[in-house]
Amino acid sequence: MDRAILLPALKNIATRLRIDSIRSTSEAGSGHPTSCMSMADLAAALFFAEMRFDPKDPHNPDADRFVLSKGHAAPILYAAWAEAGAFAREELLKLRTIGSDLEGHPTPRLPFVDVATGSLGQGICAAIGTALNARRIRSSYRTYVLLGDGETAEGSVWEAADVGSLDALDNLCGLTDVNGLGQSRATMWSHDMDQFARRWRAFGWHAIVIDGHDMGAILDALAEARATKGQPTMILARTIKGKGVSFVEGKDGWHGKAFKKGEEMDRAIAELEKQFVPVPADGPAANLAAHIEKPAARPHAVESPKPPAPPAYTLGDLVATREAYGTAIAKLGDVDSRIVALDADVKNSTFSDKFEKAHPDRFFENFIAEQVMVGSAMGLAARGAIPFPSTFACFLTRAADFVRMAAISNVNVKLAGSHAGVSIGEDGPSQMALEDLAMFRAEPNYAVVYPCDAVSTERLIAEIAYHPGPAYMRTSRPKTAVIYGNDERFPLGGLKVLRQSANDVATVVGAGVTVFEALAAYDQLKATGTAIRVIDLYSLSPIDRDGLVAAAKATRGTLITVEDHYPVGGVGDAVAAAVADAGVTVHRLAVREIPRSGKPEELLDRFGISAKHIVQQVQEIQGVQ
Amino acid sequence: MDRAILLPALKNIATRLRIDSIRSTSEAGSGHPTSCMSMADLAAALFFAEMRFDPKDPHNPDADRFVLSKGHAAPILYAAWAEAGAFAREELLKLRTIGSDLEGHPTPRLPFVDVATGSLGQGICAAIGTALNARRIRSSYRTYVLLGDGETAEGSVWEAADVGSLDALDNLCGLTDVNGLGQSRATMWSHDMDQFARRWRAFGWHAIVIDGHDMGAILDALAEARATKGQPTMILARTIKGKGVSFVEGKDGWHGKAFKKGEEMDRAIAELEKQFVPVPADGPAANLAAHIEKPAARPHAVESPKPPAPPAYTLGDLVATREAYGTAIAKLGDVDSRIVALDADVKNSTFSDKFEKAHPDRFFENFIAEQVMVGSAMGLAARGAIPFPSTFACFLTRAADFVRMAAISNVNVKLAGSHAGVSIGEDGPSQMALEDLAMFRAEPNYAVVYPCDAVSTERLIAEIAYHPGPAYMRTSRPKTAVIYGNDERFPLGGLKVLRQSANDVATVVGAGVTVFEALAAYDQLKATGTAIRVIDLYSLSPIDRDGLVAAAKATRGTLITVEDHYPVGGVGDAVAAAVADAGVTVHRLAVREIPRSGKPEELLDRFGISAKHIVQQVQEIQGVQ
């Protein structure tokens, strides 16, 4: 389209997006209109002159992706999609109401949102994932991600910057809306554009500095980004917060503040309306939405992979569950091209290197950067992959906020954390995950599993891979005996009763390494004539409430949980919450203080979760009974 | 000292540190000797020619600080302190054993360790804090922090880089040990030194590239760093992993691997021993440890601040606890110069801006970078400050790994998270903390408090400030009525019974905003002739187990918890765990699914934690009773 026609038409759209952002936030009585107004020209250019997408089919696999990393500018995202024809403009006035999916910050309840944003510095990580996904499905779609300038202070942005340039993601284009004002004050660098440019260039991106209200410059920069090969591009757009309304432009104190309905809002909108410029009423410029370039209508593939070969272990063999994890994801990858794995430079400890060896093109190295690893997995998952990011379980806490946002997005990420608990031994507390179960169980929609042997690990990998939504598997460092036959099944929400008799005086519930402590305690107690029931609680969320209650009722109403985890949020809490209304008593053995270095077996004992402590607990209860 | 004498003496120390690192890890059978060997020359120069400290009094307030950000190189840290005379060299052979404080990664169980490291990218954040602390106490001590090259991939490093240059911390000197090899493969940039230099320069640091095995170059760089004003310095040292032992030098596959005791270890040590060079036996070079420059023996100040003025609220006034938080820390700051506050660009929402107004020199802005905010607080706390970092509670999850390491360090950080739960309303789930209590309660040594009104907020701030160790306060967005008199006291581990009678059919336990839902439910039930007991559980860790049990026993064995938090790890789990052995039943009202935008009162109701739901729960239990 002729620029002489296009530019004023885009400017008018930008003005309309500003008006819509003001109107919807004023109606809601809250929101961030001035943060929308600074990026309105960028949004108009992206949606109506750059991106290839179908407003009625945002999930088309070849459609360009747009991630609003500065999620608080949600109103203009919604306005742009309404302008494009995805839904009726009137809906915008329902912003932030309980009956509308147009929430305060974007979530995938809306079909055109890939991942929830609103926690800054996450959208760009997800964008790395959607850009990687284009390679996976051999699509030419591009990913655009719009950041705030204040957001650039988040370290996760620089993790994404490194991965973007290392992976040479020239299908990725970032735009930073440099309006110079944060929430509480001027940002770190205000409008010093060189601060931004030199950082992005140092991190290997092609950086372009422009006036973010110069529509021609925006289009030129987007074209330059498209033409740039071998590296991603960051467009650094100098903008004015509140652009278009003179009494708020560039003023501090207007962050996150809606214009008051009535005189204040009316005055703002009147000012904007004066900025509309004439465009030919009968040409394409009158309705740019109708001229959005659509991707071909490729059918949305439904994959129905064959099941992987069954586990091939021998009872009694010693195999660490972390190693079985590596074998399991590699095997699943053999039969399902959606499976991808992500690492943070510990692939030889988590054994995700087995996946890399089998499927190098679907293995993504993030070096020591857990946030972008999980964030990028979120983007991959949003576009149809089934990603397995893994590292030491304790270092997944580095990405806790991503874990949280993945819950809100309800994306299909399958996290795995190795080296759980004190059983790692000599490396000491900094390397021991003792709160990971609390972190994942806290989220209401994660499946959480914790296998104790190689067979259950492999079976559970397939279970969580095809369970819709996020999931977490906890694995252990020490080698443990294979105790299940290769045909055994492990449905989510189940448990295994490993030992039982009619005379059991208590049920001991273990998971992971403590299953073996429970089995050892069983043997020791048996030698003294005392029988206990032993349960392997491999599934923590969902949890087999009925199975636990039945075991408790059959064993004098007594459950003893034992876990290589702090007492809060782990096995004990899970069991106690599940059986809360059943009138049974739960005794908890857990790690109750900050541990230290030592041999694994010394630590299990010192911190109260070894067979000896189980035996003592059983005997203590018997004394009472 | 004459360089002709000094350099060979330092080289000999470096060789000895390498030998010690090998010997101790071989004895332990695990550890990271090759990661120690690459940094041995840097360590020798720092400890024996640069830093001012007293090996026998590492806590001297004017002593230079050394933070080993690459914590896995702990053996050489220990070796250096032993060489300096802090303890006997024989102790090194107890590395990683359960009876020794020489753990696999450094912790402050050792007097010369300020903060635990071993989760990469954290030490440099703590170093920002110790450097800021020098300003606070007007000391000329310098902070040195040694990073690994792979560690540079962590986003937190760049958060620290920004804060270091913004705050012009020229008393801070970083050293990056660029040995080119990560755990599982070559690092992102191997030995491409320009990749490092351009990043640090872009972030405003003075960067110096050197050969990290050239002792003269190391000393020159350290002198240049000392002479550099207005910005911190990063010394980028090109090194060789495993330096000094030909059969491991620069070889992949040797990360985290001890030399096998016997022939392998002996061969390595023999090679190193050949590298000793002659130094004059009677000059200073023969014993550099004796020539370490010590800071003056300034007495370790014991501060005994006056108590702050009591709260000054009026019963019934509406004050958000987040606002009371701001008032409380500002008042505490009036009487105690150790109190500092840290922000991540939300000071006008958390009300930490009240502290900034009162004590601008003790207020540290980190912009939107939660990791460095918490990490720097850890460093400040390690050097005697009482730091209050605060942001939205949900964004503290961004620093979850720092929260974890602060537990291991047992440092005196006092975190506060505002905007807890669905009661924030329209901003939606990304801004709602619903798992923060789980995160903090999971750590065994955090005090966790959750006040419901302004008076309890202010009182609890003083409680947690002077409680040794880490602490967390959860505050809320909505204004709530002042329900306590200004003289009321709130000891940690207590609770308040707000309503009680002899006829109570159940005890409702609320905290924060749900206290008011419980009070409303009390009124509604009273109107129907049913009495309930109402508890404000302002202290979650520690928790008043006896008070809860007494209330339950007096109210038909029934506790109903109600919390603006997911069910895992919050109020309900805390209460259930506390009363587990008392034979009472705990019914839990909590947010059980991912919430959405809406009005606060709509959301409390929709997600099951409003007065209506409490009334229903009570009636349901009565039906059963």
Side-chain angles (χ1 to χ4, degrees):
Chain A
M1 205 179 301
D2 188 330
R3 283 235 174 153
I5 299 172
L6 180 61
L7 294 186
L10 287 172
K11 276 304 227 182
N12 283 349
I13 288 182
T15 299
R16 206 146 55 228
L17 297 181
R18 288 189 175 98
I19 292 171
D20 284 343
S21 302
I22 291 174
R23 220 185 276 281
S24 61
T25 48
S26 291
E27 184 66 31
S30 63
H32 302 74
T34 57
S35 302
C36 297
M37 293 154 79
S38 58
M39 60 165 277
D41 298 295
L42 300 172
L46 279 167
F47 278 79
F48 302 98
E50 173 71 11
M51 292 200 301
R52 193 172 59 163
F53 68 106
D54 181 350
K56 295 293 190 192
D57 179 20
H59 282 299
N60 182 302
D62 296 315
D64 289 345
R65 314 315 304 170
F66 176 72
V67 183
L68 182 66
S69 202
K70 52 174 278 190
H72 54 285
I76 196 167
L77 175 74
Y78 306 153
W81 280 94
E83 174 80 21
F87 58 89
R89 167 167 272 118
E90 300 79 70
E91 290 292 313
L92 296 176
L93 295 180
K94 297 183 185 159
L95 178 74
R96 292 176 161 245
T97 60
I98 196 165
S100 170
D101 287 340
L102 301 175
E103 298 193 70
H105 294 75
T107 78
R109 288 188 174 117
L110 294 163
F112 51 80
V113 173
D114 282 340
V115 293
T117 52
S119 180
L120 294 172
Q122 296 209 17
I124 187 170
C125 296
I128 296 284
T130 62
L132 287 172
N133 186 70
R135 287 199 185 153
R136 182 184 71 87
I137 66 166
R138 294 184 179 75
S139 172
S140 62
Y141 77 74
R142 291 176 60 74
T143 294
Y144 298 87
V145 54
L146 199 145
L147 294 92
D149 48 352
E151 182 172 4
T152 312
E154 288 284 12
S156 57
V157 170
W158 302 105
E159 294 185 10
D162 271 336
V163 173
S165 65
L166 277 165
D167 289 346
L169 294 176
D170 50 21
N171 61 355
L172 173 62
C173 177
L175 303 95
T176 305
D177 175 18
V178 186
N179 65 33
L181 294 174
Q183 169 176 322
S184 70
R185 51 166 290 176
T187 62
M188 235 186 283
W189 312 298
S190 301
H191 276 126
D192 182 350
M193 302 303 290
D194 177 57
Q195 293 278 3
F196 296 89
R198 70 190 201 206
R199 279 171 174 77
W200 287 100
R201 285 176 189 142
F203 275 72
W205 287 48
H206 180 59
I208 309 171
V209 176
I210 59 167
D211 172 352
H213 303 304
D214 177 340
M215 196 59 79
I218 298 171
L219 296 183
D220 289 346
L222 289 167
E224 186 176 324
R226 239 182 297 118
T228 300
K229 298 301 168 202
Q231 62 180 160
T233 295
M234 178 57 70
I235 298 172
L236 298 161
R238 186 190 198 285
T239 62
I240 295 173
K241 199 155 175 174
K243 173 73 179 177
V245 174
S246 57
F247 61 93
V248 301
E249 273 190 2
K251 290 224 170 65
D252 210 353
W254 271 93
H255 180 94
K257 216 178 205 174
F259 293 85
K260 278 190 213 72
K261 257 183 99 171
E263 195 271 335
E264 189 172 88
M265 179 187 91
D266 295 345
R267 192 149 60 98
I269 291 177
E271 232 189 276
L272 284 162
E273 280 175 341
K274 284 195 202 118
Q275 296 167 32
F276 283 119
V277 290
V279 293
D282 52 354
N287 184 7
L288 286 184
H291 295 269
I292 293 169
E293 189 188 343
K294 294 183 181 57
R298 156 144 67 135
H300 299 203
V302 177
E303 308 214 19
S304 38
K306 287 180 296 188
Y313 293 102
T314 304
L315 283 172
D317 274 3
L318 292 173
V319 184
T321 51
R322 61 182 168 128
E323 182 161 5
Y325 164 79
T327 303
I329 58 171
K331 281 175 73 174
L332 203 59
D334 291 342
V335 295
D336 192 336
S337 69
R338 295 170 300 174
I339 308 287
V340 303
L342 299 95
D343 176 41
D345 189 23
V346 288
K347 64 189 179 190
N348 54 344
S349 288
T350 60
F351 287 96
S352 65
D353 57 0
K354 289 175 186 259
F355 186 94
E356 182 185 29
K357 274 178 208 112
H359 313 286
D361 53 325
R362 286 184 271 139
F363 181 84
F364 305 113
E365 183 56 69
N366 297 274
F367 298 90
I368 310 173
E370 296 78 10
Q371 296 186 87
V372 68
M373 176 179 73
V374 178
S376 146
M378 288 160 67
L380 278 154
R383 302 312 309 140
I386 303 176
F388 282 82
S390 57
T391 181
F392 284 29
C394 62
F395 301 134
L396 287 175
T397 61
R398 201 57 162 265
D401 196 28
F402 290 74
V403 166
R404 182 178 77 87
M405 293 296 286
I408 294 171
S409 291
N410 199 32
V411 279
N412 228 3
V413 290
K414 318 297 176 182
L415 296 111
S418 67
H419 294 69
V422 300
S423 63
I424 70 159
E426 292 83 354
D427 270 340
S430 66
Q431 319 294 301
M432 296 170 175
L434 290 156
E435 53 284 277
D436 55 316
L437 293 175
M439 173 168 75
F440 287 104
R441 285 189 57 249
E443 302 301 333
N445 56 349
Y446 272 72
V448 178
V449 297
Y450 183 12
C452 73
D453 87 336
V455 170
S456 51
T457 302
E458 188 165 322
R459 290 289 186 189
L460 284 165
I461 282 295
E463 289 286 331
I464 64 172
Y466 299 120
H467 172 76
Y472 173 60
M473 173 179 281
R474 182 184 222 221
T475 66
S476 304
R477 181 174 181 275
K479 289 180 191 292
T480 46
V482 173
I483 61 168
Y484 293 111
N486 287 315
D487 292 332
E488 190 84 24
R489 295 295 174 147
F490 296 82
L492 285 184
L495 54 76
K496 297 289 176 189
V497 180
L498 297 178
R499 298 285 186 277
Q500 62 179 321
S501 77
N503 308 316
D504 298 337
V505 300
T507 297
V508 176
V509 181
V513 294
T514 62
V515 167
F516 299 91
E517 300 301 318
L519 291 173
Y522 170 90
D523 291 339
Q524 291 173 30
L525 286 163
K526 196 178 172 194
T528 70
T530 300
I532 56 170
R533 192 157 297 198
V534 175
I535 283 179
D536 170 11
L537 190 65
Y538 65 81
S539 177
L540 290 165
S541 302
I543 192 166
D544 184 356
R545 185 249 173 215
D546 293 346
L548 290 165
V549 171
K553 299 260 175 193
T555 60
R556 307 188 187 179
T558 301
L559 295 171
I560 299 168
T561 59
V562 53
E563 61 190 305
D564 197 356
H565 189 274
Y566 290 138
V568 172
V571 178
D573 271 6
V575 169
V579 305
D581 62 354
V584 304
T585 304
V586 182
H587 302 268
R588 303 160 197 217
L589 301 179
V591 179
R592 292 187 180 273
E593 59 181 304
I594 308 280
R596 58 190 301 133
S597 290
K599 293 199 179 73
E601 57 277 20
E602 286 174 341
L603 298 179
L604 290 172
D605 202 51
R606 165 96 165 235
F607 296 105
I609 57 171
S610 65
K612 185 183 86 186
H613 292 275
I614 299 170
V615 168
Q616 282 170 356
Q617 181 71 63
V618 170
Q619 288 169 340
E620 199 176 296
I621 291 164
Q622 276 190 290
V624 175
Q625 277 172 348
Chain B
M1 205 178 300
D2 188 329
R3 281 234 176 154
I5 299 172
L6 180 61
L7 294 187
L10 287 173
K11 276 304 226 182
N12 283 351
I13 288 182
T15 299
R16 205 147 53 227
L17 297 181
R18 287 188 176 101
I19 292 171
D20 284 343
S21 302
I22 291 175
R23 218 185 278 280
S24 61
T25 49
S26 291
E27 183 66 31
S30 63
H32 301 75
T34 57
S35 303
C36 297
M37 292 153 79
S38 58
M39 60 166 278
D41 298 295
L42 300 172
L46 278 167
F47 277 79
F48 301 98
E50 172 71 12
M51 292 201 301
R52 193 172 57 166
F53 68 105
D54 180 349
K56 294 293 189 194
D57 179 20
H59 283 298
N60 183 304
D62 296 315
D64 288 345
R65 315 313 307 169
F66 176 72
V67 183
L68 183 66
S69 202
K70 52 174 277 190
H72 54 285
I76 196 167
L77 176 73
Y78 307 154
W81 280 93
E83 173 80 21
F87 58 89
R89 166 167 275 121
E90 300 80 69
E91 290 293 312
L92 296 176
L93 294 180
K94 297 184 186 158
L95 179 74
R96 291 176 162 243
T97 59
I98 197 164
S100 169
D101 288 339
L102 301 176
E103 298 193 70
H105 293 76
T107 77
R109 286 187 176 120
L110 294 163
F112 51 80
V113 174
D114 282 340
V115 294
T117 54
S119 180
L120 294 171
Q122 295 209 19
I124 187 172
C125 296
I128 296 284
T130 60
L132 287 172
N133 187 70
R135 287 199 185 152
R136 182 183 71 85
I137 66 165
R138 293 184 180 76
S139 171
S140 62
Y141 77 75
R142 291 177 60 74
T143 295
Y144 298 87
V145 54
L146 199 144
L147 295 90
D149 48 352
E151 180 172 5
T152 312
E154 288 284 13
S156 57
V157 169
W158 302 105
E159 295 185 9
D162 271 337
V163 173
S165 65
L166 278 164
D167 289 346
L169 293 176
D170 49 22
N171 60 356
L172 174 63
C173 176
L175 302 95
T176 305
D177 175 19
V178 185
N179 65 33
L181 293 174
Q183 170 177 323
S184 70
R185 51 166 288 176
T187 62
M188 235 186 284
W189 312 299
S190 300
H191 276 127
D192 182 351
M193 302 305 290
D194 178 58
Q195 293 278 2
F196 295 89
R198 69 191 203 208
R199 280 171 174 77
W200 287 101
R201 285 176 189 141
F203 275 72
W205 287 48
H206 180 57
I208 309 171
V209 176
I210 59 167
D211 172 351
H213 303 305
D214 178 340
M215 196 59 78
I218 297 171
L219 296 183
D220 289 346
L222 288 167
E224 186 176 325
R226 240 181 297 118
T228 300
K229 297 300 166 201
Q231 63 181 160
T233 295
M234 178 57 70
I235 297 172
L236 298 162
R238 188 190 198 285
T239 62
I240 294 174
K241 200 158 174 171
K243 173 73 178 176
V245 174
S246 57
F247 60 94
V248 301
E249 273 191 3
K251 288 227 170 64
D252 212 351
W254 272 92
H255 180 94
K257 217 177 203 173
F259 293 84
K260 278 190 214 72
K261 258 182 98 170
E263 194 273 335
E264 188 173 87
M265 180 185 92
D266 294 344
R267 192 150 59 99
I269 291 177
E271 232 190 275
L272 283 162
E273 283 177 340
K274 284 193 202 118
Q275 295 165 33
F276 284 118
V277 289
V279 293
D282 51 353
N287 184 8
L288 286 183
H291 295 269
I292 294 168
E293 189 188 342
K294 294 184 181 58
R298 161 149 54 143
H300 298 203
V302 177
E303 308 216 16
S304 38
K306 284 180 298 186
Y313 292 102
T314 304
L315 283 174
D317 274 2
L318 292 173
V319 184
T321 51
R322 61 181 166 128
E323 182 161 5
Y325 163 78
T327 303
I329 57 171
K331 282 175 72 172
L332 203 58
D334 291 343
V335 295
D336 192 336
S337 69
R338 295 170 301 175
I339 307 286
V340 303
L342 298 96
D343 177 41
D345 189 22
V346 288
K347 63 188 179 191
N348 53 343
S349 287
T350 59
F351 288 97
S352 65
D353 57 1
K354 288 175 187 259
F355 186 94
E356 183 185 26
K357 275 179 207 111
H359 313 288
D361 53 325
R362 285 185 273 141
F363 181 83
F364 304 113
E365 182 58 71
N366 297 275
F367 298 90
I368 310 174
E370 295 78 9
Q371 296 185 86
V372 68
M373 176 178 73
V374 178
S376 141
M378 287 160 67
L380 278 153
R383 302 313 309 142
I386 303 176
F388 281 83
S390 57
T391 180
F392 284 29
C394 62
F395 300 134
L396 287 176
T397 62
R398 201 58 161 267
D401 195 28
F402 290 73
V403 166
R404 181 178 77 87
M405 293 294 288
I408 294 171
S409 291
N410 198 33
V411 278
N412 227 2
V413 290
K414 317 298 175 180
L415 296 109
S418 66
H419 294 70
V422 300
S423 63
I424 71 158
E426 292 83 354
D427 271 339
S430 65
Q431 318 295 301
M432 296 169 176
L434 290 155
E435 53 284 276
D436 56 315
L437 293 176
M439 173 168 75
F440 287 104
R441 283 190 57 250
E443 302 302 334
N445 55 349
Y446 272 73
V448 178
V449 298
Y450 184 12
C452 73
D453 87 335
V455 170
S456 49
T457 302
E458 188 165 322
R459 290 289 187 189
L460 284 166
I461 282 296
E463 289 286 333
I464 64 173
Y466 299 121
H467 173 75
Y472 174 60
M473 174 178 281
R474 184 183 220 221
T475 67
S476 304
R477 181 175 180 274
K479 288 179 192 291
T480 46
V482 173
I483 61 169
Y484 293 111
N486 287 317
D487 292 332
E488 190 83 25
R489 295 294 175 147
F490 296 82
L492 284 185
L495 54 75
K496 296 289 177 189
V497 180
L498 298 177
R499 298 287 185 274
Q500 62 179 321
S501 77
N503 308 315
D504 298 338
V505 301
T507 297
V508 176
V509 181
V513 294
T514 62
V515 167
F516 299 91
E517 300 301 318
L519 292 173
Y522 170 90
D523 291 339
Q524 292 172 30
L525 285 163
K526 194 178 176 194
T528 70
T530 300
I532 56 170
R533 191 157 297 196
V534 175
I535 283 178
D536 170 11
L537 189 64
Y538 64 82
S539 176
L540 290 165
S541 301
I543 192 166
D544 185 357
R545 185 250 172 211
D546 293 346
L548 290 165
V549 171
K553 299 260 175 193
T555 61
R556 307 187 187 179
T558 301
L559 295 170
I560 299 169
T561 60
V562 52
E563 60 190 306
D564 197 355
H565 189 274
Y566 289 138
V568 172
V571 178
D573 271 6
V575 169
V579 304
D581 61 353
V584 304
T585 305
V586 181
H587 303 267
R588 303 161 197 219
L589 302 179
V591 178
R592 292 188 180 273
E593 57 181 305
I594 307 280
R596 58 191 301 133
S597 290
K599 294 197 179 74
E601 58 277 19
E602 286 174 343
L603 298 180
L604 290 173
D605 202 49
R606 165 95 165 236
F607 295 104
I609 56 170
S610 65
K612 186 182 87 185
H613 291 275
I614 299 171
V615 168
Q616 282 170 357
Q617 181 71 63
V618 171
Q619 288 169 340
E620 200 176 294
I621 290 164
Q622 277 191 289
V624 175
Q625 276 172 345

